[in-house]
Amino acid sequence: MCSAKSSKAIEALSLVKPSEPCRLVVLISGNGTNLQAIIDACAASTLPAKVAAVISNEPAAYGLQRARDASIPTHVIDHRDFGRRTDFDERLKGLIDTLEPGLVILAGFMRILGLDLTEHFLGRMMNIHPSLLPDYPGLNTHARVLADGVNEHGATVHFVTPELDAGPIILQSRIPVQADDTPSTLAERVHQCEYEIYPRAIAWFATERLHLEASIAYLDGAPIKA
Ligand code: GAR
């Protein structure tokens, strides 16, 4: 059911029943509340996919416990064990490939990924970012939104490309910024948006409604307008 598969994955899928759900490999660095929303959506069958594995670059990430609680295999690749970013990326790429995902999900994964890895997974790797991209890429988005006095904020799901937080946008959710908001109240409301839009975007991909072609994200055959 998952598009943008490797030829190996297509071969493997031809041997299994057609209803085999899309295999997700989820990368995390921290709390993993988005991971939890994805696990819950899979369990509720609103997301026709299966979390095949969770990978963290942080050994203490609480999201690893969430995965274990759901009987999902976990892996840790600690970035501090690698002298060069490219060595970390190479190890990560190799591990993800062995897990044969239909889609790779970045869910609060706080490492910048290099050209080789992002091109390898082009069209089959998604990220969620806590801002209305292209505004506020990078870190500390909630504080920066408040400092700028803008009246709208939100979250964005996008395909991952080599440029940080700049890949083709799939889905966004907007919220008003209120006069008494703090970074933490904004973060809480943006998180609630994320739990809704990330499983929905993943479901589009898992049911082959969504794909990336020539740097444009298509939903049901039509280009997605940001
Ligand atoms: C989420 O808000 C996600 O958008 C953000 O980290 C948080 C992770 O929360 N991701 C980024 O900032 C990536 N640039 P979680 O671990 O509870 O899902």
Side-chain angles (χ1 to χ4, degrees):
M1 286 182 69
C2 239
S3 62
K5 304 169 197 83
S6 67
S7 56
K8 197 171 169 194
I10 290 166
E11 199 179 299
L13 277 176
S14 68
L15 301 174
V16 297
K17 57 184 193 294
S19 60
E20 187 76 9
C22 185
R23 282 173 64 81
L24 309 176
V25 169
V26 183
L27 275 56
I28 61 164
S29 298
N31 192 359
T33 58
N34 276 284
L35 166 67
Q36 189 68 60
I38 292 164
I39 291 171
D40 292 348
C42 291
S45 298
T46 52
L47 170 54
K50 171 191 164 128
V51 181
V54 171
I55 304 173
S56 176
N57 66 303
E58 288 287 354
Y62 183 66
L64 289 168
Q65 187 58 46
R66 296 179 188 276
R68 287 192 285 267
D69 289 347
S71 302
I72 295 165
T74 60
H75 305 264
V76 174
I77 303 179
D78 189 334
H79 59 280
R80 287 162 288 242
D81 293 342
F82 298 82
R84 296 181 306 177
R85 266 181 195 279
T86 47
D87 293 340
F88 171 76
D89 279 13
E90 197 55 34
R91 178 72 219 292
L92 183 60
K93 185 175 83 170
L95 173 60
I96 297 171
D97 277 343
T98 64
L99 298 166
E100 300 194 336
L103 183 64
V104 183
I105 300 293
L106 307 187
F109 184 69
M110 304 307 280
R111 300 298 297 171
I112 293 175
L113 297 170
L115 184 70
D116 185 60
L117 185 145
T118 50
E119 287 195 335
H120 182 73
F121 292 112
L122 190 65
R124 50 196 182 108
M125 180 180 271
M126 275 183 202
N127 181 41
I128 191 153
H129 183 77
S131 80
L132 294 172
L133 292 173
D135 295 339
Y136 303 101
L139 299 175
N140 304 318
T141 58
H142 313 303
R144 287 156 62 207
V145 159
L146 289 174
D148 288 351
V150 299
N151 56 20
E152 211 178 30
H153 190 32
T156 303
V157 179
H158 64 94
F159 280 112
V160 173
T161 56
E163 197 185 340
L164 181 69
D165 298 331
I169 290 172
I170 297 165
L171 188 57
Q172 292 185 308
S173 180
R174 291 165 189 276
I175 55 165
V177 178
Q178 291 160 3
D180 58 350
D181 263 325
T182 64
S184 63
T185 61
L186 264 188
E188 172 55 32
R189 295 214 309 288
V190 167
H191 260 119
Q192 296 304 322
C193 297
E194 293 182 338
Y195 307 152
E196 198 220 318
I197 63 173
Y198 216 1
R200 195 190 314 174
I202 297 165
W204 286 345
F205 188 93
T207 53
E208 301 190 348
R209 295 179 59 194
L210 172 71
H211 74 283
L212 180 73
E213 195 178 315
S215 302
I216 296 170
Y218 289 85
L219 178 64
D220 297 332
I224 295 176
K225 296 190 183 73

